[in-house]
Amino acid sequence: MLGKKLVTAQKRGETRALCLGLGMVACSMMMYFFIGVTIVPFYTKSVWTTETVCKVLKANIKDKVLCPNSEGSEDEDIFPYPCLQVWVNLTALGQEVMLYQTEDTLERNPKCSYVPDKLENSKEVKAQIETIASNFKTHQTFPCYYDPGGTQTNVILSRLYPPKGLLFAFLWPTLMFIGGCLIIVLVKISQYVSVLSAWQ
């Protein structure tokens, strides 16, 4: 009687462990799909892949401009802000080009180097942009990214999804997938050993 209870409990434990392993594998596959749909296209679409050194030539704050809203957004998403334009000397090619914060900045407003997040207080936005401009004037040499193919003549300060960020995004689903596979393999080994012991 006690042996039957132990066998039943063992089978229940194996079933739960097997379900856990399959669930981990399924979740990792969903995460792979989500990353492949959201992050990977932005990474492959970016042409600013080569790092070089940029030197600031001028950083000017022009009159306020309207942040153009994206397609499908409401009019309240448009807000005025001072337009910061930073021009740098691209040491790799020796050209004077405009600097943008990220790839997204160029898409949102190609006239400005920095597009702030929407803030209710216009004084905070102005102070933020003035701080960024003073930082460029203080630190005039810094690494930046340019397009080696020449399709884009401008440069960006940082990539939204650098190679390290992409590898880090794939790290957790990979660990979950490996863990789920290990649990399934261990359960199958345990079942094989149990069958072998019972047969002997």
Side-chain angles (χ1 to χ4, degrees):
M1 187 70 179
L2 183 59
K4 290 182 178 181
K5 289 184 179 180
L6 289 175
V7 171
T8 304
Q10 183 180 4
K11 288 183 178 180
R12 288 179 180 175
E14 290 175 351
T15 303
R16 291 174 181 175
L18 191 62
C19 290
L20 175 63
L22 292 174
M24 291 174 66
V25 171
C27 288
S28 65
M29 290 300 175
M30 292 176 62
M31 292 174 68
Y32 278 130
F33 176 77
F34 179 76
I35 294 172
V37 171
T38 56
I39 298 179
V40 173
F42 286 103
Y43 175 79
T44 56
K45 189 174 68 173
S46 178
V47 296
W48 296 270
T49 56
T50 305
E51 184 176 351
T52 185
V53 177
C54 288
K55 185 178 181 181
V56 176
L57 297 176
K58 53 185 176 181
N60 301 324
I61 299 178
K62 294 194 172 183
D63 295 336
K64 288 187 177 182
V65 297
L66 290 177
C67 177
N69 59 342
S70 57
E71 296 182 1
S73 58
E74 299 178 357
D75 293 339
E76 62 183 15
D77 292 332
I78 304 178
F79 61 98
Y81 62 92
C83 182
L84 172 64
Q85 291 184 344
V86 180
W87 293 88
V88 298
N89 181 17
L90 185 61
T91 56
L93 301 177
Q95 296 177 348
E96 180 180 341
V97 296
M98 190 169 178
L99 174 74
Y100 295 94
Q101 184 186 12
T102 61
E103 301 95 330
D104 184 59
T105 307
L106 179 61
E107 293 182 1
R108 293 178 64 185
N109 191 350
K111 296 181 180 179
C112 304
S113 297
Y114 174 74
V115 177
D117 295 329
K118 184 177 180 181
L119 297 175
E120 297 296 335
N121 193 342
S122 59
K123 292 183 179 179
E124 292 181 4
V125 176
K126 183 180 179 181
Q128 186 182 51
I129 293 177
E130 289 177 350
T131 302
I132 294 173
S134 63
N135 288 337
F136 277 118
K137 293 177 181 179
T138 304
H139 308 283
Q140 294 190 343
T141 303
F142 49 86
C144 58
Y145 296 90
Y146 75 99
D147 175 20
T151 56
Q152 291 288 344
T153 57
N154 42 57
V155 295
I156 60 173
L157 181 61
S158 59
R159 300 180 64 183
L160 283 174
Y161 301 104
K164 290 183 179 179
L166 190 66
L167 290 175
F168 185 76
F170 278 105
L171 175 63
W172 295 112
T174 301
L175 292 176
M176 183 178 293
F177 179 79
I178 294 174
C181 290
L182 285 176
I183 291 175
I184 295 173
V185 170
L186 291 175
V187 169
K188 291 300 181 181
I189 291 175
S190 176
Q191 290 176 347
Y192 175 75
V193 171
S194 298
V195 172
L196 187 63
S197 299
W199 181 75
Q200 290 179 349

